């Protein structure tokens, strides 16, 4: 017989930090991913409760996976993004809180809840995080979301369906499946350099969602160069990028003819997002 307290202590002794040990125990008891943090307050009062055998077996399996480096979001099967409970697994990158910066920025650029219905494109949507967050905040917008990975799009489709947020999902590389022009194009593309030592910590996530050539800028270069063809006059391109890529991304936007360039910082204070406005006549 194992109690809640003993199970938690065992996981900590095996090397798990307290937060992960707590959240995994709640997940093993069947708490939904989005409710895990709030459910933590249940634990102190139940330290001496006996865990059912199947729950304890589940817990040990979760703990083993987490100790092997699997992201918590994959183990529990979900991650909250912009207040939305998204389902995630190894088919998609785990949505990062930093990416909420990109969502905030698009909402600020187009604060018009009652204004004209906007058209927005999310390139490399993965779990659907950005597109679904924006659809949730701006139901009148028409939102298209592209991913090269059909496996990723299956996750995005399941999330859209479960959250009842209709976005159009298109499969293909960047603009390949796109046929319209948009008020706003947003993307959190792969931007890690292929030889970045930081990648070893991300080994469980899809490499195709993370790396982009020797300097990590291959996909951003492609997106910036092609975007004018898919933007309405005055439309914006908003990009997330690596903490040290801001100057390079800004230079690419300027060289392509974007103006009103601007930057946003992430939660850690890094220059994480850069945007430009396409004033030019449609190309
Ligand atoms: N921000 C992610 C990381 O380094 C990378 C995401 C991406 O390449 N778009 O953890």
């Amino acid at each position: 017989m194992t109690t809640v307290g003993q199970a938690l202590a065992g996981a900590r002794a095996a090397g798990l930090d307290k937060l992960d040990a707590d959240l995994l125990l709640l997940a093993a008891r069947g708490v939904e991913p989005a409710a895990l943090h709030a459910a933590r307050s249940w634990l102190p009062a139940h330290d001496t409760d006996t865990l059912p055998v199947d729950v304890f077996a589940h817990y040990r399996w979760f703990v083993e996976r987490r100790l092997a480096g699997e992201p918590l979001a994959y183990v529990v099967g979900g991650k909250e993004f912009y207040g939305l409970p998204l389902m995630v697994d190894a088919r998609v990158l785990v949505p990062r809180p930093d990416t909420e910066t990109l969502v905030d920025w698009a909402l600020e650029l187009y604060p018009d809840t009652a204004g004209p219905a906007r058209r927005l494109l999310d390139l490399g949507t993965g779990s659907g995080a950005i597109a679904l967050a924006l659809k949730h905040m701006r139901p009148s917008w028409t939102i298209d979301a592209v991913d090269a990975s059909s496996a990723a799009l299956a996750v995005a489709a399941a999330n859209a369906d479960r959250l009842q947020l209709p976005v159009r999902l298109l499969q293909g590389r960047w603009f390949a499946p796109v046929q319209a022009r948009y008020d706003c194009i947003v993307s959190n593309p792969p931007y890690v350099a292929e030889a970045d030592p930081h990648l070893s910590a991300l080994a469980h996530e899809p490499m195709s969602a993370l790396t982009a050539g020797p300097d990590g800028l291959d996909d951003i270069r492609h997106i910036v160069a092609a975007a004018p063809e898919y933007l309405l006059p005055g439309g914006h391109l908003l990009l997330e990028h690596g903490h040290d890529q801001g100057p390079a991304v800004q230079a690419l936007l300027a060289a392509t003819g974007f103006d009103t360039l601007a930057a946003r910082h992430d939660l850690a204070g890094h220059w994480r997002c850069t945007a430009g406005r396409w004033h030019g006549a449609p190309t």
Side-chain angles (χ1 to χ4, degrees), residues 109-246:
L109 284 170
Y110 301 97
D112 43 337
T113 32
R118 301 290 184 172
R119 301 183 49 85
L120 183 130
L121 177 67
D122 174 18
L123 291 174
T125 196
S127 62
I130 297 172
L132 296 172
L134 289 171
K135 186 69 187 174
H136 180 61
M137 298 301 289
R138 298 280 190 271
S140 70
W141 289 5
T142 299
I143 300 186
D144 292 347
V146 170
D147 209 286
S149 158
S150 45
L153 283 180
V155 177
N159 279 319
D161 194 48
R162 212 169 62 119
L163 297 167
Q164 296 282 291
L165 294 169
V167 297
R168 191 159 66 122
L169 300 172
L170 305 167
Q171 198 255 320
R173 268 192 74 72
W174 307 125
F175 294 101
V178 177
Q179 280 167 347
R181 287 183 185 269
Y182 298 85
D183 295 288
C184 186
I185 299 174
V186 293
S187 184
N188 170 22
Y191 54 68
V192 181
E194 268 159 8
D196 193 320
H198 170 75
L199 283 172
S200 56
L202 306 173
H204 289 261
E205 293 181 274
M207 235 1 101
S208 62
L210 287 164
T211 62
D215 62 357
L217 287 167
D218 279 6
D219 290 311
I220 288 178
R221 270 189 286 268
H222 175 81
I223 291 168
V224 171
E229 226 181 296
Y230 300 93
L231 281 169
L232 293 161
H236 289 90
L237 174 62
L238 272 59
L239 294 166
E240 179 175 327
H241 49 71
H243 67 94
D244 55 357
Q245 293 170 334

Side-chain angles (χ1 to χ4, degrees), residues 43-92:
L43 290 166
H46 293 84
D47 206 54
T48 55
D49 286 16
T50 300
L51 280 177
V53 177
D54 59 329
V55 172
F56 185 52
H58 237 93
Y59 186 54
R60 291 179 58 162
W61 180 54
F62 283 176
V63 168
E64 254 170 56
R65 288 169 59 190
R66 186 70 191 106
L67 286 172
E70 206 174 324
L72 184 90
Y74 291 167
V75 179
V76 303
K79 170 86 182 173
E80 191 172 290
F81 181 81
Y82 220 85
L84 295 178
L86 298 176
M87 297 181 289
V88 299
D89 59 33
R91 291 174 289 179
V92 295

